[in-house]
């Protein structure tokens, strides 16, 4: 893999496509085992999760459903802080076994908002599956139940992840080049 330039920034190969695929194989096997009798509802968080959702679901031989949401955040009053809404969630969540699919969990702020919005709808269970996790950055209490790859605190693109709109289509994972 060669280096790539996206807008003003240079990125170097970090995890190749085959290793990403292997990591998703392992994760998919765990999910299949845990949900074989549950008909889970997977909820992909757009835009970044499209790649992970597709790669994960094609490996699952269990019965399941998939839907996608966008997270819209806006600042409420000072006391309520940032409020998030899940856009596009039309499925009935109550009583379902839900698995949230995220491209990457960094500080975890996004996942906290998603979990709050989902839990209001009273699912039977909610788990989180992430293609990437930055353990050094993640300080929340919510467990990230399934992680394909753990990475250090570096900015990455590819496999669904972008830099200002570009790079989502790159196979494998690229990291910001240290110059
Ligand atoms: P968190 O709320 O966990 O801090 O961040 C989650 C969001 O930040 C991700 O869904 C993603 O959009 C963005 N993000 C965090 N780290 C990275 C990264 O290394 N690369 C890219 N492209 N986006 C990131
Ligand atoms: Mg995202």
């Amino acid at each position: 893999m060669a280096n790539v330039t996206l807008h003003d920034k240079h990125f170097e190969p970090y995890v190749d496509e085959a290793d990403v695929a292997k990591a998703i194989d392992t994760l998919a096997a765990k999910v299949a085992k845990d949900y074989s009798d549950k008909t889970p509802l997977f909820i992909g968080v757009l835009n970044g999760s499209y790649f992970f959702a597709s790669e994960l679901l094609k490996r699952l031989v269990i019965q399941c459903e998939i839907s996608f949401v966008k997270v819209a955040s806006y600042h409420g009053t000072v006391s309520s802080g940032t409020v998030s809404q899940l856009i596009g969630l039309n499925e009935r969540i109550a009583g379902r076994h839900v698995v949230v699919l995220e491209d990457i969990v960094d500080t975890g702020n996004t996942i906290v908002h998603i979990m709050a919005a989902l839990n209001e709808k009273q699912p039977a269970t909610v788990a989180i599956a992430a293609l990437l996790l930055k353990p050094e950055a993640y300080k929340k209490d919510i467990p990230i139940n399934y992680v394909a790859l753990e990475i250090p605190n570096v900015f990455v693109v590819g496999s669904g992840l972008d830099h200002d709109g570009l790079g989502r289509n790159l196979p494998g994972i690229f990291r910001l080049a240290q110059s």
Side-chain angles (χ1 to χ4, degrees):
M1 293 196 292
N3 285 14
V4 292
T5 299
L6 304 172
H7 299 295
D8 53 328
K9 292 191 165 57
H10 305 293
F11 294 85
E12 59 192 24
Y14 185 47
V15 185
D16 70 29
E17 195 178 358
D19 289 332
V20 174
K22 270 187 226 157
I24 300 174
D25 286 342
T26 306
L27 185 151
K30 286 185 199 143
V31 172
K33 187 165 171 278
D34 294 352
Y35 288 88
S36 60
D37 57 350
K38 294 197 170 75
T39 313
L41 170 61
F42 291 97
I43 298 181
V45 182
L46 292 173
N47 291 326
S49 76
Y50 80 88
F51 166 84
F52 178 46
S54 168
E55 291 298 308
L56 173 60
L57 265 78
K58 76 185 187 190
R59 289 166 167 82
L60 295 180
V61 291
I62 61 171
Q63 289 209 28
C64 60
E65 293 177 44
I66 176 86
S67 186
F68 288 92
V69 296
K70 282 213 171 200
V71 180
S73 300
Y74 53 93
H75 292 282
T77 61
V78 175
S79 58
S80 65
T82 306
V83 183
S84 292
Q85 209 188 338
L86 298 183
I87 309 287
L89 190 60
N90 303 317
E91 282 71 17
R92 199 178 60 86
I93 300 299
R96 296 297 306 270
H97 294 285
V98 173
V99 183
V100 177
L101 304 180
E102 263 284 26
D103 51 359
I104 187 164
V105 176
D106 183 5
T107 64
N109 290 330
T110 309
I111 217 72
V112 165
H113 290 304
I114 291 171
M115 292 298 270
L118 277 178
N119 278 325
E120 277 179 17
K121 298 179 187 293
Q122 300 184 309
T125 60
V126 190
I128 301 166
L131 178 63
L132 302 173
L133 171 69
K134 295 180 180 174
E136 292 161 20
Y138 187 68
K139 299 286 177 247
K140 308 291 184 198
D141 296 330
I142 300 170
I144 309 302
N145 309 82
Y146 305 94
V147 175
L149 293 165
E150 294 191 346
I151 63 168
N153 267 339
V154 293
F155 186 78
V156 294
V157 296
S159 298
L161 292 137
D162 72 308
H163 166 45
D164 201 8
L166 298 181
R168 293 192 196 277
N169 56 317
L170 292 169
I173 308 283
F174 289 71
R175 61 177 284 172
L176 198 58
Q178 23 252 42
S179 44

